[in-house]
Amino acid sequence: MKIVVTVKLVPDPSAEKKIDPQTKRLVRTGVETVLNPYDEYALEAGLTLKERAGAQGRVTVFSMAPESLKETLRKALAMGADDAVLLADPALEGSDVWATAYAVAAALRKLDFDLLIVGGLTDDSSTGAVPGALAEHLGLPCITNARKIDAVDGALEVERETDAGYQTVRTPLPALLTTALTFGEPRYASLKGIMGAKKKTIATTALADLALELPVGAAGSKTQLRSFAPPAPRGKGRAVEAADGAAGARTIFEFLREKKLV
Amino acid sequence: MQHVVVFAEQRQGQTRKVTFELVSEARKLADRLGGKACAVVLGAGGAELAAQLEGYPLDVIYVTEDRDVDAFVLDPIVDYVEAAVRLAGPSLILIPNTLSGRDVAGRLSARLRAGIVADVVEVRVEDDGAVVCVSPKLGGALTTQCALLPAEHGIVTIRPSAFAVTPSAGNAQVVALAKPAKSYAAAIERDVEEGAGELALEEAPVVVAGGRGLGGPEPFEALLKPLARVLGGAVGASRAAADAGWVPYNLQIGQTGKTVTPKLYVAVGISGAIQHKVGMRASGTIVAINKDAAAPIGEFSDLLVIGDAFRIVPELTKLIETAKG
Ligand SMILES: Cc1cc2nc3c(=O)[nH]c(=O)nc-3n(C[C@H](O)[C@H](O)[C@H](O)COP(=O)(O)OP(=O)(O)OC[C@H]3O[C@@H](n4cnc5c(N)ncnc54)[C@H](O)[C@@H]3O)c2cc1C
Ligand SMILES: Nc1ncnc2c1ncn2[C@@H]1O[C@H](COP(=O)(O)O)[C@@H](O)[C@H]1O
């Protein structure tokens, strides 16, 4: 089974984030860039399926990001991906959901795969809209939030989470999946993996290779960030040490009374 | 963008509360844009669902009872919503920011070549006709104003509980949607509801959430449920609790779970990690019970009570119950 996993490279989720007041874009310098945490789960799913497929299994990671972040992909290779493809082009800067999905889909069309695994959500833009848009552009069945995946007779048997519970779904290949975090914790890169990753290839492509019909980047985007501000600060409230259960309960009860919540 | 089309999400034949919020808002937006307010109602019991929208001032309700909607993952829904939008004409499309809403929105965006703004809590139509959306981004660290650039269609996914429900007499024309000439690949073999019949988390006015500090599944039943019941709310959880299998995943609150904005949020044995915080920080009042005085949740709670949840919660439930008489 040939698998492609898409990963976005994002500023460290635990670092404080800033938007450049001039360009109105996320400041991506001065903070460490990492694999979008959600995409590590997608990669874990890809690597698990690859292992189950034995000698037939292969995982390629794909990302659209500035060339300067290329080495960040080495971590995915260290975790076990076979190779990586980076779509990098200054003209992609400022791409919104529409432009991102359009460009990424065009680049993915150049790759040969049976299964495309996409993360469910990005830590920085958090739209969760890219997977569905990719499925449309590529004409693939789209199964989101998978927590269990089994390959059966050239098709996939998937358990997926829903707002209300879960579903069991069957889909033919090729298909697009997104993974739920309950699929399983991403593995760590072993020392051997880290050493081996140095020899693996990260191929780069540029927009010129894709012959797109429509503009991308800021020029091709259909939304525009007008302004932003921190929300009204939420003042630090009171902290009260409870002498015992009854005292703690009374403190909360009186507070709720005061706020007219009981 | 002239008309407004709402994807009326339902669950087991019941229109979801967020749908009523969206159709209430749709009327106001349609009036500003000078177009029609429409809703798309799909699946088994569609006619009944359309009837549930009667008390709202819509112009058109598009309906199908096609069983395919419940038999295949998403594809029929996307086809029908697209069909309704094409019938309505240039539209601003409002979709609930739920797991399935996000999927539908992304796919429609590609099909209709439409821009998309996600997790929106306020929509404004400016005097020049521009549609500007307010949404918390970067985990709520910033509130952004994002415009949909002028185009035929635009898509907005809307956070549940962001808009008020304002019923008023409606007299909508009901239009049946034709079955698309398509066959679908991704078949649903089993559809399981967990916690069915309970108040949906995103819609509850009070949420009592538990974390790793509860130590197992039993306290969710024995401690949190009774407290949620006397407060008229629902039970939620942190990821640690959902991952441990103590509660179903659909109770998880946070970045990768649900976003909730109840009037009151009670966090019991939850440390307040950033990924949890982003799913509940917009709640009206936040009360935390935690053994650890230094737990990060104290930084954004209105009240932190430092103590043992196992002793405090039952006493609190009793106090509220007694006060209610
Ligand atoms: C990609 C990614 C996505 C994530 N998404 C989410 C998400 O959507 N939602 C989410 O919640 N998390 C999410 N997380 C996980 C998050 O980082 C935290 O690990 C998680 O929220 C911790 O859950 P917790 O607060 O229940 O557990 P802990 O952090 O272990 O906290 C338990 C708390 O209980 C207190 N306690 C213990 N015993 C008692 C007692 N008897 N009485 C009172 N207090 C007690 C302790 O002092 C402690 O503060 C995500 C993480 C990643 C990497
Ligand atoms: N620039 C990108 N490069 C590669 N994959 C991406 C990119 N942007 C989004 N994705 C994928 O789409 C998923 C959802 O992204 P989003 O819709 O932006 O929340 C991510 O988890 C990634 O797997």
Side-chain angles (χ1 to χ4, degrees):
Chain A
M1 180 155 24
K2 288 186 290 265
I3 301 165
V4 171
V5 178
T6 60
V7 298
K8 191 174 180 186
L9 307 180
V10 299
D12 182 352
S14 52
E16 200 191 330
K17 284 149 197 137
K18 291 192 207 77
I19 290 187
D20 183 322
Q22 235 78 60
T23 62
K24 302 211 168 97
R25 286 185 201 146
L26 190 60
V27 177
R28 291 176 195 274
T29 48
V31 266
E32 200 197 344
T33 302
V34 298
L35 305 180
N36 175 38
Y38 227 122
D39 297 342
E40 288 198 12
Y41 288 79
L43 182 55
E44 177 60 36
L47 295 173
T48 305
L49 291 172
K50 166 189 146 131
E51 283 158 4
R52 283 196 217 141
Q56 316 291 315
R58 187 168 177 82
V59 171
T60 299
V61 290
F62 171 88
S63 188
M64 168 180 131
E67 173 103 44
S68 58
L69 299 181
K70 183 171 170 179
E71 285 306 311
T72 310
L73 284 172
R74 205 63 72 182
K75 163 135 194 239
L77 299 176
M79 284 169 72
D82 296 282
D83 60 354
V85 177
L86 177 73
L87 170 63
D89 201 303
L92 284 163
E93 258 175 62
S95 293
D96 69 352
V97 170
W98 156 263
T100 300
Y102 178 68
V104 168
L108 290 175
R109 249 182 236 119
K110 304 242 167 202
L111 305 178
D112 173 31
F113 58 84
D114 307 300
L115 178 61
L116 176 62
I117 310 182
V118 183
L121 200 69
T122 45
D123 187 74
D124 53 354
S125 54
S126 293
T127 68
V130 168
L134 287 177
E136 287 292 329
H137 284 302
L138 297 168
L140 295 172
C142 175
I143 315 283
T144 50
N145 313 313
R147 67 177 183 195
K148 207 163 155 284
I149 309 166
D150 288 302
V152 195
D153 307 331
L156 291 182
E157 194 74 47
V158 181
E159 207 169 275
R160 69 183 288 263
E161 275 153 8
T162 65
D163 284 303
Y166 68 94
Q167 294 173 338
T168 320
V169 172
R170 198 183 168 83
T171 181
L173 292 171
L176 180 153
L177 295 184
T178 73
T179 39
L181 301 188
T182 37
F183 183 88
E185 286 294 314
R187 64 194 63 194
Y188 287 101
S190 64
L191 191 61
K192 188 163 158 259
I194 294 169
M195 298 312 289
K198 295 189 175 140
K199 284 177 261 132
K200 293 178 179 171
T201 40
I202 303 177
T204 31
T205 48
L207 285 176
D209 304 321
L210 302 180
L212 299 177
E213 279 168 29
L214 301 170
V216 289
S221 292
K222 297 177 187 292
T223 56
Q224 185 186 52
L225 184 58
R226 291 245 172 122
S227 65
F228 53 88
R234 165 161 223 138
K236 189 176 166 177
R238 272 192 290 154
V240 180
E241 191 104 31
D244 58 22
R250 179 134 305 272
T251 306
I252 297 174
F253 182 72
E254 269 152 21
F255 176 79
L256 296 180
R257 263 269 156 95
E258 210 178 284
K259 295 259 171 190
K260 301 202 166 37
L261 289 163
V262 287
Chain B
M1 285 176 265
Q2 177 186 355
H3 306 298
V4 179
V5 176
V6 173
F7 167 49
E9 199 173 332
Q10 56 132 326
R11 177 175 156 182
Q12 304 270 313
Q14 277 300 312
T15 307
R16 297 192 63 169
K17 180 162 164 273
V18 63
T19 296
F20 296 121
E21 293 162 6
L22 264 54
V23 294
S24 300
E25 186 67 15
R27 176 76 269 159
K28 291 183 220 154
L29 292 172
D31 289 344
R32 284 286 287 157
L33 291 164
K36 292 178 293 186
C38 317
V40 195
V41 174
L42 307 173
E48 245 163 74
L49 291 164
Q52 289 173 16
L53 293 179
E54 237 162 42
Y56 293 84
L58 292 165
D59 299 305
V60 187
I61 301 179
Y62 297 98
V63 188
T64 178
E65 300 224 342
D66 187 352
R67 297 261 160 192
D68 276 359
V69 168
D70 306 301
F72 296 94
V73 181
L74 245 37
D75 305 75
I77 296 184
V78 180
D79 281 347
Y80 278 114
V81 178
E82 181 193 4
V85 169
R86 301 226 185 259
L87 282 174
S91 297
L92 175 65
I93 305 160
L94 307 185
I95 299 179
N97 191 38
T98 54
L99 277 185
S100 50
R102 287 208 291 248
D103 293 344
V104 173
R107 295 187 52 179
L108 279 177
S109 138
R111 275 200 201 181
L112 299 169
R113 295 194 172 181
I116 182 166
V117 186
D119 200 15
V120 168
V121 295
E122 192 186 324
V123 187
R124 260 191 345 258
V125 181
E126 313 238 290
D127 291 334
D128 62 0
V131 175
V132 177
C133 306
V134 178
S135 65
K137 284 285 167 215
L138 298 172
L142 285 174
T143 303
T144 60
Q145 312 246 348
C146 191
L148 282 163
L149 295 173
E152 194 179 4
H153 305 294
I155 302 174
V156 182
T157 68
I158 296 195
R159 181 182 283 197
S161 299
F163 294 120
V165 174
T166 51
S168 77
N171 186 21
Q173 177 197 1
V174 176
V175 175
L177 292 168
K179 190 172 170 65
K182 287 200 186 171
S183 61
Y184 302 114
I188 300 173
E189 296 180 330
R190 227 152 67 89
D191 199 347
V192 181
E193 286 240 338
E194 291 172 318
E198 282 168 29
L199 196 56
L201 204 49
E202 312 92 302
E203 299 168 357
V206 175
V207 172
V208 179
R212 182 154 26 217
L214 290 180
E218 301 83 13
F220 279 85
E221 289 293 324
L223 291 186
L224 299 201
K225 267 204 184 151
L227 178 58
R229 198 178 53 240
V230 296
L231 287 168
V235 171
S238 71
R239 181 171 165 214
D243 267 0
W246 301 344
V247 295
Y249 165 77
N250 62 9
L251 295 193
Q252 181 180 317
I253 292 163
Q255 187 197 19
T256 48
K258 292 181 172 169
T259 302
V260 297
T261 43
K263 282 201 305 252
L264 171 64
Y265 190 90
V266 185
V268 187
I270 292 180
S271 62
I274 176 75
Q275 295 94 344
H276 186 77
K277 178 181 174 183
V278 303
M280 45 66 78
R281 70 192 289 165
S283 303
T285 298
I286 299 173
V287 173
I289 303 174
N290 201 305
K291 280 207 293 211
D292 178 7
I297 190 115
E299 297 298 317
F300 52 95
S301 296
D302 300 292
L303 174 67
L304 166 66
V305 171
I306 305 152
D308 186 356
F310 289 89
R311 297 181 186 280
I312 296 172
V313 174
E315 297 285 341
L316 178 60
T317 308
K318 263 192 261 163
L319 275 179
I320 298 169
E321 212 157 25
T322 318
K324 290 208 313 195

